[in-house]
Amino acid sequence: MANFPKRRQPVILGAAVATVATGIAAYAYIRRKLYAPLPVSPHVDVHRYMGLWYEIARLPTRFEKGCEHVTAQYKLLPNGKVSVLNTCHKDDVNGPVESVKGTARIVDTATNAKLRVSFFWPFEGDYWILDHDPEYRYALVGEPSRKNLWLLCRTPHLERPIRDRLVGLAHSLGFPTENLIFTPQPVAGKP
């Protein structure tokens, strides 16, 4: 009789883990259903999207607090996944460099515009390419909950009319653009 409680512990622990996992999945499903569908670019040429991007603006995120001169480097891997290297200079465009590496996978092969990115396995986040120009000079990236948004450009600065158009598009899609942080980037000719 003394062994009875010990044999039941793995069953109870397994049931508790299953309950928590089900609750998390249900929460994520309900949260996603609270928002209108988020349209993405009709087609993204993954090879052309690869390379260095400068962050022009973002919605505030815990992991980018105090970041200036932010860049993202994407590289297509032989297995079809994407290597991600995000770099930030803390508190100044010439401040100390902090980098984080991750991996992305395409989850919508019809458009190549929906990816899931992971910096810390097993956690993943949505990375949806909402708009880009035909020459892949700039892009608008977000996710369905509208909590994360990035304006990206191949150069450190984006022309004001294009920037305003992308901000207007993001606003029309339900993003809180009044909270955007415009990322300081180096001035041409200076480090």
Side-chain angles (χ1 to χ4, degrees), residues 49 74 113-117 125-129 141-143 152:
Y49 197 82
Y74 304 114
K114 294 180 182 180
L115 295 90
R116 299 277 295 162
V117 179
D126 288 313
Y127 180 100
W128 290 14
I129 302 166
V141 177
E143 46 82 36
L152 305 175

Side-chain angles (χ1 to χ4, degrees), residues 52-142:
L52 181 67
W53 291 90
Y54 291 86
E55 181 185 273
I56 302 303
R58 68 177 179 267
L59 285 177
T61 60
R62 174 180 46 82
F63 54 88
E64 281 191 89
K65 187 173 182 162
C67 284
E68 297 186 12
H69 185 13
V70 178
T71 60
Q73 178 80 41
Y74 304 114
K75 181 180 178 188
L76 193 59
L77 300 172
N79 64 3
K81 291 185 178 182
V82 177
S83 166
V84 179
L85 176 63
N86 287 348
T87 302
C88 137
H89 292 252
K90 290 303 278 187
D91 302 318
D92 186 82
V93 295
N94 297 311
V97 175
E98 291 186 1
S99 297
V100 62
K101 292 181 181 181
T103 305
R105 61 186 176 88
I106 298 168
V107 294
D108 177 9
T109 55
T111 65
N112 293 331
K114 294 180 182 180
L115 295 90
R116 299 277 295 162
V117 179
S118 176
F119 291 101
F120 308 102
W121 186 87
F123 304 103
E124 290 185 315
D126 288 313
Y127 180 100
W128 290 14
I129 302 166
L130 309 176
D131 190 38
H132 64 83
D133 80 313
E135 300 304 316
Y136 292 81
R137 292 173 299 173
Y138 56 81
L140 181 67
V141 177

Side-chain angles (χ1 to χ4, degrees), residues 108-187:
D108 177 9
T109 55
T111 65
N112 293 331
K114 294 180 182 180
L115 295 90
R116 299 277 295 162
V117 179
S118 176
F119 291 101
F120 308 102
W121 186 87
F123 304 103
E124 290 185 315
D126 288 313
Y127 180 100
W128 290 14
I129 302 166
L130 309 176
D131 190 38
H132 64 83
D133 80 313
E135 300 304 316
Y136 292 81
R137 292 173 299 173
Y138 56 81
L140 181 67
V141 177
E143 46 82 36
S145 76
R146 280 44 172 206
K147 288 186 177 180
N148 294 304
L149 179 74
W150 296 273
L151 277 71
L152 305 175
C153 187
R154 294 294 189 177
T155 60
H157 304 281
L158 182 62
E159 296 87 7
R160 184 68 182 258
I162 297 170
R163 188 185 89 178
D164 291 348
R165 184 184 70 74
L166 292 173
V167 170
L169 174 59
H171 181 75
S172 73
L173 293 172
F175 287 91
T177 56
E178 65 278 3
N179 297 331
L180 278 174
I181 296 170
F182 292 92
T183 310
Q185 293 286 1
V187 177

Side-chain angles (χ1 to χ4, degrees), residues 1-24:
M1 194 68 147
N3 288 337
F4 178 72
K6 288 183 181 179
R7 276 189 257 155
R8 302 245 333 139
Q9 281 181 336
V11 172
I12 292 171
L13 181 60
V17 168
T19 301
V20 169
T22 302
I24 291 170

